[in-house]
Amino acid sequence: IGGMIDRYYWKQLFTMAGASPNGASRLDFTADLANLWQNSGDSVQITVELRGRPVMTNNPNHNIGLYINGSSIIANQEFQIQSPTSVIFNVPHSYFNVGNNTIRLEALGDKIPAGEFDIIQINNVKITYDSQLIADSNQTHMYLGESEYEIYLRGFSENTFNVYDMSDPNASVKF
């Protein structure tokens, strides 16, 4: 078919202008945000790779809504492109639980003309969040950048442990 484009989409959302939400217009999935740091000052970032599809209107406006853990709509993103693109939602940590969270994406169908259909194809979803540093099987991994940090680690079974700088995978350094 040509090109290096992913032609398989996870879910196609489909709704008609003014229609009530239904199973065809939404995607529900569970995301495990293990060790979510709820006191972080940053937002949870949800990046949705998707594309809109026209039905009767040549280049319709699409509108996708985001719901978290059964809430009313938290945010929406409008777009008007048929090529694969990304939309980003920045959501306060307070909407999320540590552990499993139910996330819903929904084609809202409120930006298309009466009698028109809104089709949004979801390719994938990436969730980025600040997590607590808790050991799992007496190990933890972290990336700290180039600044100085004060770090608190929990969950180790012993009081002594080794720390390695792995910034150069060919020359790790034990502290």
Side-chain angles (χ1 to χ4, degrees):
I1 296 179
M4 298 297 292
I5 299 171
D6 180 5
R7 287 180 169 66
Y8 177 79
Y9 281 82
W10 179 15
K11 169 84 176 191
Q12 178 169 282
L13 309 180
F14 176 87
T15 192
M16 187 173 186
S20 297
N22 59 57
S25 66
R26 62 183 173 241
L27 168 65
D28 292 328
F29 61 95
T30 301
D32 182 5
L33 304 187
N35 303 326
L36 172 70
W37 183 22
Q38 289 184 306
N39 295 326
S40 170
D42 293 331
S43 297
V44 173
Q45 185 178 77
I46 300 176
T47 304
V48 183
E49 291 186 12
L50 48 66
R51 72 177 179 180
R53 304 298 293 172
V55 176
M56 295 181 284
T57 305
N58 186 24
N59 196 16
N61 289 324
H62 303 280
N63 195 10
I64 188 166
L66 174 70
Y67 305 77
I68 307 291
N69 293 323
S71 68
S72 57
I73 191 166
I74 293 192
N76 66 293
Q77 290 281 337
E78 295 180 37
F79 63 100
Q80 188 183 20
I81 189 166
Q82 296 174 36
S83 301
T85 190
S86 296
V87 296
I88 298 172
F89 298 96
N90 289 302
V91 183
H93 279 81
S94 60
Y95 283 96
F96 297 92
N97 303 314
V98 174
N100 288 336
N101 293 268
T102 302
I103 298 175
R104 172 176 287 174
L105 297 169
E106 184 171 45
L108 300 177
D110 59 344
K111 303 298 178 188
I112 54 176
E116 173 66 286
F117 297 94
D118 195 4
I119 298 175
I120 300 173
Q121 295 175 323
I122 307 293
N123 194 17
N124 65 57
V125 178
K126 181 174 110 176
I127 302 172
T128 306
Y129 62 96
D130 290 340
S131 65
Q132 297 182 66
L133 298 174
I134 299 175
D136 183 16
S137 300
N138 280 326
Q139 293 184 8
T140 190
H141 303 273
M142 65 191 93
Y143 172 76
L144 299 175
E146 296 181 16
S147 299
E148 291 184 23
Y149 293 90
E150 187 171 328
I151 302 169
Y152 299 92
L153 301 172
R154 302 184 293 154
F156 290 98
S157 63
E158 300 177 15
N159 290 333
T160 59
F161 49 87
N162 297 316
V163 176
Y164 294 87
D165 177 355
M166 302 294 291
S167 55
D168 180 353
N170 297 318
S172 62
V173 176
K174 181 178 178 181
F175 290 102

